């Protein structure tokens, strides 16, 4: 982001960077930067916390009022708070007969969650949500599903895996609650057959002959812990 | 997902130590008064509008997200797995705080919230983004934008 700030300032725009990785803005030193103490992926803090999001945005914009032309780096000190929801459980009993059966059994929760949230972020793969799990499940089989026109097969697989995670994570909000990302990751990677399928896919991609698949294998599973389906 | 500080080694050091070359030339554009600020948001989350081609790793392009695009049609195609998406799934403002910006315009804290915001692929090296960044800069200036909030993931 600091690199973009450099070019935009050079074009005549005043910029302020909201930064999650303090080390990076210290190195590049853009004209104005606000470091925020939130988890990665959440530069504006907590979903639906309008007050906190406004305070972050106002703090960032206030750096435009700093005198002089020396770079300004300010820390935003308000924390997002405890994000763990101890009452949260996944809102439905999922089939454990097969990953395909599990995926089918999660769809009612996914539809319910969409109604509750008012939107879905699923769709980046372009595959129908009803078949996206099967696409990955059959990927290395002797009978893979056809790849629709418009996207290379490896890219389709990567985005299909994104969509699978999005379907499951969205479904987790069907009955409300505020599970943390840690809770969601623990549940998805350790307790769902879809999570296990992706872990197996990652390993097959990592050791396989397809160089493009090997390249994406590192971007399928979060790095902060080793997951094992239990 | 966790803060960078909570990610165990060696990933933490890898991410913190990613190449960030300081620029010899330090452009600085003086800010206008708050009431005159016309503010756009530029995200590095690889956001796309539903139906557009997703951004790939090292993508040098960008996407414009107009005010008429519904929240439900904004998707995240960022290559990295190192960040949480569940916040974005519940509330787009966690990554692209366009509603908050509109509220600042309504209360008079800024002059105007831009009608169009932009997204790049943050995993791409900044040097490779120069042409498109300058292109977006010129486009924003042509639309009257004078101030940019850069939002990472």
């Amino acid at each position: 982001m600091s690199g973009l700030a450099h070019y935009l300032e050079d074009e005549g725009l005043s910029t302020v960077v909201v930064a999650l990785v303090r080390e990076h803005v210290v190195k590049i030193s853009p004209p104005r930067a606000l470091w925020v103490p939130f988890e990665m992926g959440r530069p504006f803090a907590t979903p639906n916390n309008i007050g906190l999001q406004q305070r972050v945005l106002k703090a960032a914009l206030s750096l435009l009022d700093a005198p002089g032309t020396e770079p300004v780096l300010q820390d935003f000190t308000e924390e997002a708070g405890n994000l763990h929801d101890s009452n949260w459980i996944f809102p439905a009993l999922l089939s454990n007969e097969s990953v395909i059966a599990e995926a089918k059994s999660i769809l009612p929760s996914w539809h319910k969650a969409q109604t509750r949230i008012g939107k879905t972020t699923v769709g980046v793969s372009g595959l129908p949500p009803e078949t996206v799990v099967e696409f990955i499940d059959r990927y290395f089989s002797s009978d893979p599903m056809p790849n629709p026109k418009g996207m290379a097969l490896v890219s389709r697989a990567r985005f299909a895996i994104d969509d699978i995670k999005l379907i499951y994570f969205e479904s987790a909000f069907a009955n409300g609650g505020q599970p943390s990302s840690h809770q969601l990751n623990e549940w998805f990677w350790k307790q769902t057959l879809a999570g296990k399928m992706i872990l197996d896919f990652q390993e097959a991609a990592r050791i396989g002959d397809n160089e493009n698949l090997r390249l994406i294998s590192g971007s399928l599973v979060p790095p902060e812990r080793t997951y094992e389906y239990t | 997902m966790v803060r960078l500080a909570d990610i165990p080694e060696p990933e933490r050091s890898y991410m913190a130590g990613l190449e960030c070359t300081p620029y010899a030339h330090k452009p600085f554009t003086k800010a206008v008064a708050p009431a005159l600020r016309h503010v756009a948001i530029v995200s590095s989350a690889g956001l796309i509008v539903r139906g557009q081609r997703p951004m790939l790793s090292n993508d040098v392009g960008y996407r414009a997200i107009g005010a008429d695009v519904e929240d439900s049609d904004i998707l995240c195609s960022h290559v990295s797995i190192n960040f949480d998406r569940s916040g974005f799934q519940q509330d787009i403002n966690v990554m692209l705080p366009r509603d908050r910006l509109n509220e600042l315009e309504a209360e008079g804290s800024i002059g105007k919230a831009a009608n169009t915001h932009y997204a790049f692929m943050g995993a791409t090296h900044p040097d490779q983004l120069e042409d498109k960044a300058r292109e977006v800069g010129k486009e924003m200036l042509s639309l009257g934008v004078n101030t940019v909030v850069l939002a990472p993931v």
Side-chain angles (χ1 to χ4, degrees):
Chain A
M1 294 278 33
S2 300
L4 289 175
H6 177 83
Y7 301 125
L8 296 178
E9 292 275 348
D10 205 32
E11 290 295 327
L13 291 147
S14 303
T15 66
V16 57
V17 175
V18 176
L20 288 159
V21 182
R22 201 174 190 283
E23 291 88 339
H24 292 177
V25 287
V26 167
K27 288 178 187 173
I28 295 190
S29 191
R32 310 164 196 86
L34 179 75
W35 175 76
V36 292
F38 309 131
E39 70 179 301
M40 299 176 71
R42 299 184 172 198
F44 291 88
T46 312
N48 303 311
N49 188 337
I50 294 173
L52 180 53
Q53 291 173 356
Q54 282 188 341
R55 289 193 290 281
V56 175
L57 193 53
K58 285 183 175 180
L61 290 168
S62 73
L63 301 184
L64 293 156
D65 301 321
T69 60
E70 290 301 306
V72 177
L73 169 58
Q74 189 172 96
D75 292 346
F76 186 83
T77 56
E78 185 176 347
E79 298 276 350
N82 179 16
L83 299 175
H84 185 85
D85 184 346
S86 57
N87 293 319
W88 177 82
I89 56 170
F90 189 78
L93 188 62
L94 301 179
S95 172
N96 60 4
E97 290 180 19
S98 69
V99 68
I100 303 296
E102 180 190 89
K104 187 175 179 183
S105 70
I106 206 170
L107 289 176
S109 295
W110 181 55
H111 290 303
K112 187 177 176 182
Q114 283 182 65
T115 302
R116 192 181 154 273
I117 299 172
K119 63 166 186 168
T120 178
T121 55
V122 174
V124 72
S125 74
L127 293 171
E130 294 79 10
T131 61
V132 68
V133 167
E134 188 176 359
F135 186 87
I136 294 300
D137 187 47
R138 288 169 52 186
Y139 191 93
F140 290 112
S141 76
S142 58
D143 182 29
M145 289 181 70
N147 179 32
K149 289 181 179 176
M151 191 183 294
L153 181 59
V154 171
S155 295
R156 184 82 71 186
R158 201 211 100 195
F159 290 121
I161 286 172
D162 279 355
D163 270 345
I164 292 167
K165 290 182 284 193
L166 292 169
I167 289 170
Y168 275 67
F169 279 39
E170 266 175 23
S171 302
F173 294 101
N175 284 354
Q178 285 288 319
S180 67
S181 59
H182 177 72
Q183 287 177 281
L184 293 170
N185 276 303
E186 289 286 309
W187 163 73
F188 179 75
W189 295 107
K190 293 182 177 178
Q191 297 181 40
T192 73
L193 293 171
K196 181 179 186 305
M197 175 186 71
I198 294 171
L199 290 169
D200 292 343
F201 183 97
Q202 181 198 37
E203 182 61 10
R206 189 182 68 80
I207 64 175
D209 296 330
N210 186 312
E211 184 178 348
N212 290 328
L213 268 180
R214 279 202 305 275
L215 285 172
I216 70 161
S217 67
S219 63
L220 303 178
V221 179
E224 73 267 28
R225 62 186 71 85
T226 301
Y227 292 109
E228 186 174 354
Y229 176 71
T230 54
Chain B
M1 197 50 60
V2 294
R3 290 192 214 176
L4 177 69
D6 300 323
I7 294 177
E9 299 290 3
E11 287 85 4
R12 201 200 85 81
S13 290
Y14 168 76
M15 293 185 65
L18 282 173
E19 182 189 359
C20 297
T21 309
Y23 296 96
H25 168 52
K26 299 276 187 188
F28 179 92
T29 298
K30 190 176 188 318
V32 299
L36 299 176
R37 285 176 194 156
H38 186 164
V39 185
I41 303 165
V42 174
S43 167
S44 63
L47 301 176
I48 62 168
V49 177
R50 188 182 298 278
Q52 290 180 335
R53 183 180 63 78
M55 291 195 202
L56 302 175
S57 181
N58 294 319
D59 200 305
V60 298
Y62 66 89
R63 303 289 187 274
I65 301 170
D68 58 335
V69 178
E70 301 283 346
D71 287 358
S72 57
D73 286 328
I74 300 175
L75 309 178
C76 176
S77 68
H78 198 293
V79 65
S80 175
I81 196 70
N82 292 321
F83 65 86
D84 169 64
R85 287 166 168 78
S86 69
F88 169 75
Q89 289 187 277
Q90 299 169 75
D91 176 9
I92 189 174
N93 292 284
V94 166
M95 284 188 192
L96 188 76
R98 59 181 191 167
D99 293 334
R100 302 293 84 80
L101 201 58
N102 292 337
E103 290 157 8
L104 294 192
E105 177 187 335
E107 72 179 31
S109 296
I110 61 170
K112 184 171 171 51
N115 283 325
T116 303
H117 304 294
Y118 300 87
F120 285 85
M121 167 59 75
T124 305
H125 193 284
D127 290 353
Q128 295 178 286
L129 295 177
E130 177 172 357
D131 288 349
K132 291 300 181 184
R134 292 189 184 280
E135 182 178 308
V136 166
K138 289 180 173 67
E139 181 173 314
M140 286 193 282
L141 288 167
S142 75
L143 296 171
V145 170
N146 51 34
T147 306
V148 178
V149 175
L150 292 142
V153 286

